[in-house]
């Protein structure tokens, strides 16, 4: 291990905000830092330097990121903290660069994605007092060829895509579920979304790298692989095979030690019958469909530069449930998009009632810097957006609870995630990590974290389930 002096190596704490894709990026950064001579610690108060992997998705996430950076900066002077440097990385840092650095002097440096390959050297110089010049943000889609199949020739930094996982990734969470990145970036041009501008154009990881990392994660104790990207339905298009995910899923499910594989973020307009069949029927792959509908009105979707309508979306759900009647379905919707009429709003509500989804995330529309929709006319006032958001939130809370109640009597396979003072909690196959509810197991005294337990649902609490162990 490389040391900067005769004393102990510099310690570093990683603080991760945002989505599962960020979790993968943090673990890659942690691996690079450990390989570069840093000692990883869990508590920022015990660290020489704190790296905050920020989220830049929506306004609330940006605020959380700034607040977390300020809290980390306080450790330098309060509570006996030892931090010598606080560094911002991640989406907020990449998206705003020098603007964030100028407005947040409490952070000692703001690093972009291009700094990731040399993160250890960057941090060491920052701790030594050297000034780091924050980058000027650019549209990262322009760093890659327009033609997808030519992108493999680019040397642009793509977080989470390093090969040789055992040397570049270090697990920060010992839980039985691990995120595994399929791809990064997005080629779609949704008018409300800024993510492609700072995450870049769509780039698939090579299947050999994905499978190798899956094996490594299984060796580290992962029982469920959570496949993440900005658009999993596009996986393989830049590698010359748009149906590559269908052939990859059985390989991942066959990895020794892996009990189940879950796919996240499917673009409805690209969700083809073969992919539905692969997710619904491949042994070891859970029938779970994370479908990003965003709205149901065809006219609103066109303004979003997306495609679909209630009939096509309900038809898609019919295909799913014909193959897997108990499949889990989750989605997100945006309420109050510019120009949304009462009729279009009613179309969304009617669709949600008919769709019978397990979980629905509801977001009130807000302008995002650099997006096309920020310049649209017909903006609804904040009070109207808030009222519509509250209405839909109340509606889906009731609908999702009803869907959970429909599962009473259903047999489920529960991955145990925590055992605390006799309370055993995990997730059934239809429940994704963090956001889709949990299942509490009754009468399972021998269950351990990582076990898969067959149980029968006997009660619900909102979207959460209560289940008894199935008796032979």
């Amino acid at each position: 291990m490389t040391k900067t002096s005769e004393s102990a190596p510099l310690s570093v704490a990683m603080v991760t905000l945002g989505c599962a894709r960020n979790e993968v990026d943090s673990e890659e950064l942690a691996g690079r830092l450990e390989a570069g001579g840093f000692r990883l610690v869990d508590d920022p108060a015990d660290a020489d330097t704190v790296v905050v992997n920020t989220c830049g998705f929506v306004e609330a996430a940006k605020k959380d990121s700034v607040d977390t950076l300020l809290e980390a900066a306080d450790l330098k002077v309060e509570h006996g903290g030892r931090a010598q440097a606080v560094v911002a990385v991640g989406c907020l840092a990449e998206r705003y660069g020098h603007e964030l650095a100028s407005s947040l002097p409490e952070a000692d440096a703001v690093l972009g994605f291009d700094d990731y390959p040399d993160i250890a050297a960057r941090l060491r110089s920052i701790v030594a007092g050297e000034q780091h010049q924050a980058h000027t943000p650019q549209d990262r889609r322009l760093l890659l060829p327009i033609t997808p199949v030519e992108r493999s020739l680019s040397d642009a930094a793509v977080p989470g895509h390093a090969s040789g996982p055992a040397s570049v990734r270090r697990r920060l969470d010992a839980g039985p579920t691990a995120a595994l990145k399929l791809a990064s970036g997005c080629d779609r041009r949704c008018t409300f979304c800024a993510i492609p501008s700072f995450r870049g154009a769509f780039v698939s990881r090579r299947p050999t790298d994905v499978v190798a990392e899956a094996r490594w994660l299984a060796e580290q104790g992962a029982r469920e692989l959570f496949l993440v990207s900005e658009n999993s339905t596009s996986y393989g298009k830049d590698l010359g095979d748009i149906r590559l995910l269908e052939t990859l899923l059985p390989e991942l499910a066959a990895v020794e030690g892996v009990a189940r594989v879950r796919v996240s973020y499917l673009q409805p307009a690209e969700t083809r019958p073969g992919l539905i069949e692969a997710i619904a029927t491949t042994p070891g792959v859970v029938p779970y469909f994370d479908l990003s509908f965003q709205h149901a009105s065809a006219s609103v979707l066109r303004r979003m530069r997306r495609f679909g309508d209630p009939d096509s979306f309900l038809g898609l759900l019919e295909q799913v449930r014909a193959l897997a009647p108990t499949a889990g379905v989750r989605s997100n919707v945006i309420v109050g998009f510019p120009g949304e009429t009462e009729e279009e709003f009613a179309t969304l509500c009617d669709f949600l009632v008919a769709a019978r989804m397990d979980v629905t995330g509801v977001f009130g529309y807000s302008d995002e810097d650099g997006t096309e929709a920020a310049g649209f006319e017909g903006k609804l006032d904040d009070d109207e957006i808030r009222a519509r958001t509250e209405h839909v939130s109340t509606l889906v809370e009731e609908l999702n609870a009803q869907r959970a109640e429909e599962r009473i009597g259903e047999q489920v396979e529960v991955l145990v995630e925590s055992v605390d003072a006799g309370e055993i909690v995990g997730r059934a196959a239809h429940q994704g990590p963090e956001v889709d509810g949990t299942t509490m197991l009754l009468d399972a005294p021998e269950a351990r974290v990582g076990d898969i337990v067959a149980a029968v649902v006997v009660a619900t609490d909102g979207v959460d389930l209560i289940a008894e162990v199935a008796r032979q």
Side-chain angles (χ1 to χ4, degrees), residues 282-298:
T282 301
V285 177
V286 294
Y288 174 82
F289 292 82
D290 177 13
L291 294 159
S292 177
F293 290 124
Q294 302 298 356
H295 210 279
S297 163

Side-chain angles (χ1 to χ4, degrees), residues 176-380:
T177 299
L180 175 56
K181 189 171 283 192
L182 282 176
S184 288
C186 185
D187 286 342
R188 302 190 71 86
R189 294 295 184 267
C190 301
T191 58
F192 57 84
C193 183
I195 291 174
S197 66
F198 55 86
R199 275 291 183 179
F202 185 86
V203 180
S204 301
R205 294 184 71 194
R206 294 196 171 277
T208 51
D209 289 339
V210 176
V211 173
E213 187 162 327
R215 292 190 179 116
W216 179 80
L217 288 168
E219 291 169 0
Q220 302 299 307
R223 297 279 282 149
E224 177 178 313
L225 302 179
F226 185 42
L227 307 185
V228 299
S229 72
E230 275 78 19
N231 181 2
S232 297
T233 39
S234 284
Y235 180 72
K237 74 173 187 178
D238 51 326
L239 301 178
D241 184 359
I242 190 60
R243 292 175 175 80
L244 194 54
L245 185 54
E246 286 94 308
T247 59
L248 179 63
L249 287 174
E251 287 190 64
L252 294 173
V255 171
E256 184 176 357
V258 171
R260 61 193 194 189
V261 176
R262 183 183 306 275
V263 183
S264 72
Y265 206 93
L266 304 173
Q267 165 59 241
E270 298 177 19
T271 303
R272 50 202 174 270
L275 181 57
I276 295 173
E277 183 176 3
I279 294 174
T281 65
T282 301
V285 177
V286 294
Y288 174 82
F289 292 82
D290 177 13
L291 294 159
S292 177
F293 290 124
Q294 302 298 356
H295 210 279
S297 163
S299 48
V300 171
L301 287 165
R302 281 195 296 271
R303 294 198 297 277
M304 290 179 168
R305 201 169 288 156
R306 296 174 70 89
F307 304 94
D309 54 52
D311 289 342
S312 65
F313 289 166
L314 292 173
L316 179 58
L317 293 177
E318 285 178 8
Q319 293 178 56
V320 167
R321 288 164 176 155
L323 292 169
T326 61
V329 179
R330 84 170 323 274
S331 191
N332 295 306
V333 296
I334 297 173
V335 179
F337 192 76
E340 183 188 65
T341 65
E342 291 186 5
E343 182 180 0
E344 292 167 335
F345 178 67
T347 296
L348 172 61
C349 294
D350 290 344
F351 165 73
L352 292 171
V353 172
R356 294 174 46 246
M357 292 186 284
D358 293 278
V359 176
T360 312
V362 181
F363 295 87
Y365 173 81
S366 62
D367 288 337
E368 282 296 313
D369 296 337
T371 61
E372 187 176 348
F376 282 1
E377 296 180 352
K379 299 280 179 63
L380 279 66

Side-chain angles (χ1 to χ4, degrees), residues 26-105:
S26 283
E27 293 192 347
E28 180 185 308
L29 289 172
R32 292 185 183 279
L33 288 166
E34 191 170 59
F38 282 79
R39 179 173 59 89
L40 296 169
V41 298
D42 294 329
D43 191 343
D46 297 331
D48 295 312
T49 181
V50 181
V51 177
V52 179
N53 191 352
T54 61
C55 179
F57 178 43
V58 293
E59 202 58 42
K62 297 175 194 175
K63 183 180 184 303
D64 286 345
S65 294
V66 171
D67 289 346
T68 302
L69 285 163
L70 291 173
E71 290 171 7
D74 286 344
L75 293 175
K76 293 194 290 185
V77 292
E78 296 180 1
H79 312 303
R82 55 184 280 179
Q84 300 174 44
V86 173
V87 176
V89 299
C91 291
L92 190 70
E94 176 62 38
R95 185 176 181 183
Y96 292 103
H98 67 83
E99 182 182 342
L100 178 63
S102 298
S103 63
L104 195 69

Side-chain angles (χ1 to χ4, degrees), residues 382-401:
D382 291 343
D383 288 342
E384 180 62 24
I385 292 175
R386 188 177 304 109
R388 293 188 184 189
T389 302
E390 289 175 356
H391 178 86
V392 175
S393 297
T394 300
L395 174 64
V396 299
E397 183 177 0
E398 179 181 348
L399 293 170
N400 295 162

